[in-house]
Amino acid sequence: MNDEKVNSAISTVQTSVSDHHFVLARNGCNMCAPLGASIAYRGIQGCIPLIHGSQGCATYIRRYTISHFREPVDIASSNFTEATAIFGGKQNLSTALGNVTRQYKPEAVGITSTCLSETIGDDIPMILHEYTAARDASEPAAQEASYPQIFYASTPSYKGTHINGFHTAVHSVVTKIVPAVRCTKRGSSVNVISGFVSPEDLREIHTIMKEYNVNYTLIPDYSKSLDGPSWEEYEKLPDGGTKISDIRTMGQAAGTVYLGKAVLNEQNAGLWLNDVCGIPLHQILLPVGIENTDAFFAALNEITGKTTPAEQAEIRGRLIDAYIDGHKYCFGKRAVVYGDEDFVLSVCAFLRETGIVPVIAATGAHKKVVTESGTGEKLETISEDADFETMLEKVRSLEPDIVIGSSKGYYLSRRLNIPLVRCGFPVHDRIGGQRILTLGYRGTLTLFDLVCNALMQYKQEKAGKGWSYV
């Protein structure tokens, strides 16, 4: 998708997924902002997320992340009580920071606020300033090097979804670590700032960057910390994540590739690197589908001065061949797509390449978005605060053939009696959600196989007699 199409796709319009409006979301298709921030912080080496709010918020986040990643995930909490909600959480946050530092010995602590702490008006930056000042005054200066970095992301869920929290957390890390100095001589390294994708997607980015044979920094990188090998002994902070020392050099890179266009300017770490450090920014949609993946490699080629690796060109050829093989199963089929904005926009672009028509798409984003085909035909609607109840009411008359998104849509596919292709977050009713690959030519090929096979299996199961050839 070119910039004109993308800007059109993410522009605000007065279109709703339903003619009805409800005060409350019913079975919403998005998660809370602190959840996204916590996952981003787990992509920084030695970083422990700390939720400034109630214990229930941390429990909710642990429940979702553990069921998706199938890994133990520690999320600390400042443990608000009724008294804290009235008198403020300064003492709770200070105590939590001390406990986390002592028990985990982290390299960094990523603090993310909640609706409660934001609503009562806790001035978290001031609390952190007073905490570090008191700590530095009471501790010997020789121990300063052992202090963890402290990041802070303002993430009330009434101002955004898990995606806003994710990008805000990445922005908080980059702006805290990278020197705010205009780069006078750029190096050859490449910054890759990832959107909310799977650990397998992050591993695919690593593979691609290694094929270019250049130095690079991928942030956040939870490819190991949220999908690692089995341990003989429990590890409070699993190995993996972007090194703070590597983040510090991002202000001297040859360029930045930002995977995602739905991020707000104030949450955009790539834009900050461009504005403050002068690092060229290439911001693209998630590389799902041939066109979006071509754009990803075009950005890398421009930054590195190299050509697309031969291995990737070969996979691209196999992907085109697969499109041809599967065209008869896909052409004219109708799809329901849901998830965060970048996921939905990228998957819809991929579906159009295969001949599948996205008849409705939804996110929980706080804006209304419409995407259009090249002829201006409205193919799907992305609606503000969309939930599955609203989607079900709208989609019944559209006669879709397939649903694509997270496990939260199982309810929808079951009611419609059509197949669900699970991808995105969360996938908690199947094993391997953290290993679902969708990015790049290889990921697109994997996703295309999943879609084709789901349609073929549905056709077999609905046939009067079973067919061994479909």
Side-chain angles (χ1 to χ4, degrees):
M1 298 177 75
N2 59 36
D3 285 344
E4 185 177 349
K5 289 182 181 178
V6 171
N7 291 335
S8 172
I10 62 176
S11 64
T12 302
V13 296
Q14 299 304 314
T15 304
S16 176
V17 75
S18 173
D19 293 331
H20 304 287
H21 299 277
F22 302 94
V23 176
L24 298 176
R26 303 166 299 167
N27 193 14
C29 58
N30 62 285
M31 279 69 68
C32 74
L35 183 149
S38 296
I39 290 179
Y41 283 140
R42 286 301 298 264
I44 308 302
Q45 181 172 280
C47 184
I48 178 73
L50 196 167
I51 308 297
H52 185 45
S54 70
Q55 189 65 246
C57 293
T59 301
Y60 159 80
I61 293 170
R62 283 196 296 267
R63 182 262 181 188
Y64 263 91
T65 53
I66 290 171
S67 67
H68 177 84
F69 294 105
R70 308 286 174 170
E71 297 280 3
V73 180
D74 284 6
I75 305 289
S77 170
S78 59
N79 195 21
F80 266 49
T81 62
E82 290 86 348
T84 313
I86 297 171
F87 298 110
K90 175 181 177 179
Q91 185 58 50
N92 287 54
L93 183 55
S94 299
T95 301
L97 279 167
N99 290 340
V100 164
T101 300
R102 183 175 61 257
Q103 294 177 17
Y104 286 85
K105 296 180 173 54
E107 294 182 40
V109 179
I111 298 171
T112 173
S113 61
T114 62
C115 298
L116 180 55
S117 58
E118 292 278 356
T119 299
I120 67 173
D122 264 357
D123 189 340
I124 298 176
M126 184 190 72
I127 294 173
L128 294 177
H129 175 76
E130 293 179 352
Y131 170 81
T132 54
R135 180 197 64 186
D136 294 345
S138 62
E139 297 283 348
Q143 295 185 18
E144 184 175 353
S146 66
Y147 295 154
Q149 291 282 349
I150 299 177
F151 310 123
Y152 163 59
S154 175
T155 54
S157 287
Y158 50 75
K159 285 188 177 180
T161 69
H162 60 293
I163 295 303
N164 299 105
F166 182 93
H167 290 297
T168 300
V170 174
H171 182 272
S172 74
V173 174
V174 171
T175 55
K176 177 70 178 289
I177 298 298
V178 178
V181 177
R182 195 79 177 176
C183 180
T184 56
K185 186 177 180 180
R186 298 200 304 269
S188 58
S189 180
V190 180
N191 301 327
V192 181
I193 302 178
S194 173
F196 195 109
V197 298
S198 75
E200 192 68 24
D201 286 326
L202 295 175
R203 287 190 283 269
E204 182 67 10
I205 295 174
H206 277 299
T207 297
I208 291 170
M209 298 309 299
K210 288 174 183 176
E211 289 173 351
Y212 271 96
N213 194 28
V214 295
N215 293 325
Y216 65 96
T217 299
L218 172 61
I219 181 173
D221 180 17
Y222 42 86
S223 59
K224 290 183 180 179
S225 57
L226 288 177
D227 187 29
S230 180
W231 308 322
E232 291 187 7
E233 295 183 5
Y234 181 73
E235 298 180 11
K236 293 181 179 179
L237 286 175
D239 188 30
T242 311
K243 295 179 180 178
I244 291 178
S245 58
D246 290 339
I247 299 171
R248 193 169 286 115
T249 65
M250 291 178 69
Q252 303 167 348
T256 300
V257 180
Y258 203 116
L259 303 183
K261 283 219 169 187
V263 57
L264 301 175
N265 287 345
E266 60 268 24
Q267 302 167 353
N268 191 326
L271 187 61
W272 184 88
L273 286 168
N274 179 256
D275 292 342
V276 175
C277 302
I279 307 303
L281 172 62
H282 299 260
Q283 192 164 352
I284 61 175
L285 285 176
L286 295 179
V288 182
I290 293 176
E291 187 175 3
N292 288 336
T293 305
D294 284 350
F296 175 51
F297 281 102
L300 291 176
N301 292 345
E302 183 173 341
I303 293 172
T304 64
K306 299 186 177 186
T307 58
T308 302
E311 295 88 342
Q312 295 299 321
E314 183 177 338
I315 300 170
R316 186 182 189 277
R318 288 202 296 270
L319 175 57
I320 293 173
D321 184 65
Y323 276 11
I324 296 169
D325 294 339
H327 185 68
K328 65 179 180 180
Y329 304 110
C330 296
F331 181 75
K333 292 295 190 290
R334 301 159 71 82
V336 174
V337 187
Y338 56 89
D340 64 81
E341 302 106 299
D342 283 315
F343 172 84
V344 168
L345 290 169
S346 301
V347 169
C348 285
F350 151 73
L351 290 175
R352 290 194 204 95
E353 292 178 349
T354 69
I356 296 176
V357 178
V359 293
I360 186 170
T363 77
H366 291 291
K367 59 186 173 186
K368 303 169 185 177
V369 186
V370 149
T371 65
E372 297 181 350
S373 68
T375 61
E377 175 194 3
K378 293 179 181 178
L379 295 178
E380 74 279 333
T381 302
I382 305 174
S383 176
E384 181 177 18
D385 295 333
D387 58 39
F388 289 106
E389 288 286 349
T390 310
M391 290 166 63
L392 182 61
E393 293 170 8
K394 176 67 175 179
V395 80
R396 288 188 185 277
S397 62
L398 298 175
E399 300 180 348
D401 300 286
I402 195 168
V403 179
I404 301 175
S406 71
S407 292
K408 289 171 74 69
Y410 175 67
Y411 155 84
L412 187 66
S413 72
R414 185 179 177 91
R415 294 286 294 274
L416 296 171
N417 194 28
I418 57 177
L420 167 64
V421 173
R422 291 167 175 81
C423 52
F425 179 92
V427 175
H428 45 220
D429 60 343
R430 295 291 187 274
I431 288 289
Q434 74 276 40
R435 291 183 291 275
I436 296 175
L437 178 63
T438 59
L439 295 194
Y441 299 127
R442 195 191 315 272
T444 303
L445 188 54
T446 300
L447 182 57
F448 182 69
D449 288 345
L450 289 173
V451 170
C452 282
N453 289 334
L455 291 169
M456 294 166 73
Q457 181 179 350
Y458 180 76
K459 184 176 181 180
Q460 280 181 313
E461 291 176 349
K462 290 300 179 183
K465 295 181 180 180
W467 300 325
S468 59
Y469 287 91
V470 179

